[in-house]
Amino acid sequence: MQRTPVLIVGGGSVGLALACELGWRGIACTLIEQGDGTISTPKMNEVNIRTMEFCRRWGIADAVHACPFPPDYPLDVAFVTCLSGYELGRLPRPPRMIKKSGRYSPMRLQQCSQMWFDPILHTFARTLPCVNLRFRTRLETFETTGSGVHAKLIDLANDRHECIEAQYLVGCDGANSLVRRLLRIGLDDKTLGHPVHLYFRAPNLLEICGRQPATFFFNVDRHGVWSNIRIIDPVNAMWRLMILDAGPGLTPESVDGDAYLHRALGIPLKVEWLGTSIWSRRSAVADRYSVGRIFLAGDAVHQLSPTGGLGMNTGIADAVDLGWKLAAALNGWGGDGLLASYEIERRPIGVRNVSMASQFYLGAHKHSDGTMAIEDDSPAGSAIRTRIGEALVHDIGRMFRATGLQLGYRYDDSPICVPDGTPPNPDDPTDYIPSTRPGSRAPHAWLGDGRSTLDLFGRGFVLLRLGSKAPDVSAIKSAATARRVPLEIATVTEPNVMELYQSRLVLVRPDGHVVWRGDDPPPIAEALIDKVRGAEA
């Protein structure tokens, strides 16, 4: 019988991120993945701002910045009748080389396909001595015991059956999660469409079509918005054509890729086909995120339309939330309610992100009326293109102006955050309003030594004393020490940080979210520490 503190089922981006988070915290874990880790046709191509902040904390942000996507390639989003036809509008986005930080974060969203991002996570996980990665290993079944989970595996390389005992099991095994099905957890599920991904290689495609570079091209013809073309790897001329809704019942053999491509390009072109993926666009959230010592994360509990680029990034945030809580439980200072807070915090975020991604997708389809003459070479056609182009940049462009969506999620009703009675800011997908209201992500601001405030957080709790005259916090420190809760005290005197953080004292938990704030210490420091570690009486 093998033993491990945490067994992670699934070695995609989310499972690897959880292994990285646990290993970075010194928690031993075993990850099993039935595949070999090879990704030839990636599902994900953007690492959003919040995920890049996690990468910064793990020390792998530079590796993401150094991925093969050219740093000088424009990240523009363009709307065209077809790739060789009329351009209706363009949303400019600077290439990655322009800057690596923004107003609200030390990081920027990065174009880094899953075929590069997963190996970066894999390489980092391999550097962590307590992480055991096992590919070509499949979960067969599991059962709970008094002290953990007893799982049966099969080593696919030699057809050997094995048993492993874990204190906790986490299913990061995708939309068809075996872990979720064995737990008999249902999904609040709705199908939005039946897209097709067509991957191909086409050197000099933009030159052939007479089009200025962009990362994303939406195709809008007389039937409305029907597809998009995305560059995945400019160096190797790898592209993806997505048919937004090809209808049910298709098989890879029945998809007429040449016909779809002809319509999208406006010209016939021989390309090297690399793969076809048929899938269902779904709006789905699991009824539960955990049962006892078994947890679910990523696509196993939420399936989103890719509009807005939220899918993998939502799963990475699941892994970070769960990771520090598992570490606290295994290290002995997490209270009985800490792991229960994972579902309470993350399921509402799953609902939020699924809803917003669906709104983005459905918003694209409202631009199907009044487009019959959009391809006409006439004054009427020109007028239609101008009108539709402006609307597309405004409406569909929202999914590419999503700072609020990426950074503004918060844990309003968390049982391990101390509410202060202040109203929440609007949850707007575009506009992000920094706040230290409990449950919110602690805001970024630059410190005098060149670090971000975010660089202060991660390993344990951090209590910020804002200003040289901030009150004494020795009682809070003593209470944390008595309960073995890792807590650092940081005094910050930069005026810009004091103005942004508002209160004289702000307590930030290991994942960078605020759990308490105030101008004076609480009357009972022990009660505060018990609350934030999930041990409130």
Side-chain angles (χ1 to χ4, degrees):
M1 174 71 73
Q2 303 173 59
R3 289 178 172 82
T4 184
V6 183
L7 176 62
I8 302 169
V9 181
S13 305
V14 176
L16 286 168
L18 179 57
C20 291
E21 178 73 6
L22 290 171
W24 184 74
R25 295 187 179 282
I27 299 298
C29 61
T30 297
L31 178 149
I32 61 171
E33 162 58 43
Q34 63 182 353
D36 63 3
T38 301
I39 301 168
S40 56
T41 53
K43 298 178 182 178
M44 180 281 298
N45 294 287
E46 290 188 345
V47 182
N48 78 12
I49 302 170
R50 187 60 172 145
T51 301
M52 284 303 300
E53 291 177 350
F54 299 140
C55 291
R56 178 186 179 96
R57 189 179 65 184
W58 293 329
I60 61 173
D62 286 346
V64 179
H65 290 143
C67 81
F69 195 96
D72 59 347
Y73 195 92
L75 304 185
D76 294 5
V77 178
F79 302 89
V80 296
T81 54
C82 62
L83 203 60
S84 64
Y86 295 101
E87 182 165 311
L88 310 174
R90 181 173 286 248
L91 177 66
R93 298 195 300 170
R96 297 192 304 133
M97 65 183 292
I98 297 300
K99 57 181 180 178
K100 292 183 180 179
S101 64
R103 178 181 177 186
Y104 300 118
S105 174
M107 310 307 295
R108 289 184 66 222
L109 176 147
Q110 292 294 305
Q111 296 292 322
C112 181
S113 164
Q114 185 184 10
M115 64 186 181
W116 302 319
F117 186 62
D118 281 15
I120 291 171
L121 294 175
H122 186 170
T123 299
F124 176 54
R126 290 285 189 196
T127 69
L128 302 168
C130 53
V131 173
N132 180 21
L133 301 181
R134 295 190 55 187
F135 290 86
R136 299 289 293 150
T137 304
R138 185 176 68 213
L139 174 71
E140 294 287 280
T141 189
F142 59 81
E143 60 183 15
T144 56
T145 66
S147 59
V149 184
H150 185 167
K152 295 182 179 180
L153 320 176
I154 181 169
D155 185 328
L156 298 173
N158 53 31
D159 201 33
R160 185 178 69 240
H161 292 264
E162 305 175 18
C163 294
I164 187 168
E165 189 172 36
Q167 290 173 261
Y168 300 97
L169 184 150
V170 185
C172 304
D173 50 342
N176 296 315
S177 170
L178 174 63
V179 177
R180 187 189 69 237
R181 287 185 280 120
L182 289 175
L183 292 174
R184 298 182 179 179
I185 293 176
L187 289 172
D188 181 4
D189 187 8
K190 180 180 180 182
T191 299
L192 302 177
H194 301 85
V196 173
H197 279 168
L198 299 164
Y199 298 88
F200 62 96
R201 180 170 287 112
N204 304 315
L205 177 62
L206 295 178
E207 291 86 343
I208 292 170
C209 292
R211 181 67 55 210
Q212 290 296 312
T215 300
F216 224 106
F217 295 92
F218 281 87
N219 292 303
V220 191
D221 61 16
R222 62 189 59 217
H223 300 291
V225 182
W226 69 276
S227 71
N228 60 64
I229 303 174
R230 183 187 195 113
I231 184 69
I232 294 176
D233 182 358
V235 175
N236 293 297
M238 181 179 180
W239 296 81
R240 185 206 69 202
L241 170 62
M242 178 199 285
I243 314 305
L244 298 185
D245 190 359
L250 284 177
T251 65
E253 294 74 24
S254 65
V255 174
D256 190 342
D258 290 324
Y260 279 129
L261 187 65
H262 189 173
R263 180 181 173 189
L265 302 184
I267 56 174
L269 186 67
K270 291 291 184 181
V271 300
E272 177 188 355
W273 291 108
L274 302 176
T276 300
S277 174
I278 298 172
W279 49 287
S280 295
R281 189 185 304 271
R282 302 173 74 186
S283 166
V285 182
D287 298 336
R288 298 284 306 277
Y289 273 40
S290 64
V291 175
R293 289 176 173 265
I294 303 171
F295 300 86
L296 297 164
D299 285 356
V301 282
H302 45 69
Q303 293 144 47
L304 301 78
S305 171
T307 39
L310 292 170
M312 179 218 64
N313 293 288
T314 303
I316 298 286
D318 292 341
V320 171
D321 185 284
L322 180 59
W324 78 267
K325 294 172 181 177
L326 285 170
L330 289 164
N331 285 329
W333 59 265
D336 293 340
L338 185 61
L339 285 170
S341 72
Y342 167 66
E343 178 178 313
I344 297 170
E345 290 185 346
R346 290 304 302 171
R347 191 176 184 278
I349 304 307
V351 172
R352 166 196 188 257
N353 289 2
V354 165
S355 174
M356 288 189 176
S358 299
Q359 291 175 33
F360 285 149
Y361 172 68
L362 296 173
H365 281 269
K366 71 182 182 180
H367 297 287
S368 58
D369 297 328
T371 57
M372 287 302 295
I374 197 169
E375 297 171 275
D376 290 357
D377 183 12
S378 66
S382 178
I384 289 172
R385 288 190 290 274
T386 298
R387 175 177 59 81
I388 293 293
E390 291 174 352
L392 291 168
V393 169
H394 179 270
D395 294 343
I396 296 182
R398 292 176 65 235
M399 72 179 72
F400 299 96
R401 300 186 296 264
T403 303
L405 193 57
Q406 298 172 46
L407 300 180
Y409 67 89
R410 57 194 186 233
Y411 304 130
D412 287 336
D413 299 318
S414 172
I416 60 171
C417 294
V418 182
D420 64 359
T422 58
N425 291 322
D427 187 9
D428 186 277
T430 301
D431 296 324
Y432 167 67
I433 303 174
S435 174
T436 57
R437 183 176 183 269
S440 303
R441 160 191 169 273
H444 153 72
W446 291 114
L447 300 171
D449 60 5
R451 291 182 299 165
S452 165
T453 49
L454 272 58
D455 297 328
L456 301 175
F457 315 133
R459 292 292 184 182
F461 284 83
V462 176
L463 179 56
L464 296 178
R465 298 177 66 249
L466 280 303
S468 59
K469 297 182 179 180
D472 176 72
V473 293
S474 56
I476 300 175
K477 179 64 175 176
S478 296
T481 301
R483 287 154 172 77
R484 295 189 296 136
V485 175
L487 173 66
E488 294 183 4
I489 311 298
T491 299
V492 178
T493 58
E494 285 85 347
N496 61 312
V497 183
M498 295 170 61
E499 180 180 359
L500 180 63
Y501 274 63
Q502 300 176 322
S503 301
R504 297 197 297 171
L505 299 174
V506 177
L507 182 60
V508 181
R509 67 192 205 181
D511 64 348
H513 283 256
V514 175
V515 289
W516 172 82
R517 66 178 177 178
D519 288 324
D520 297 293
I524 305 175
E526 292 81 4
L528 171 62
I529 295 300
D530 283 343
K531 173 79 169 179
V532 301
R533 72 184 183 96
E536 187 177 45

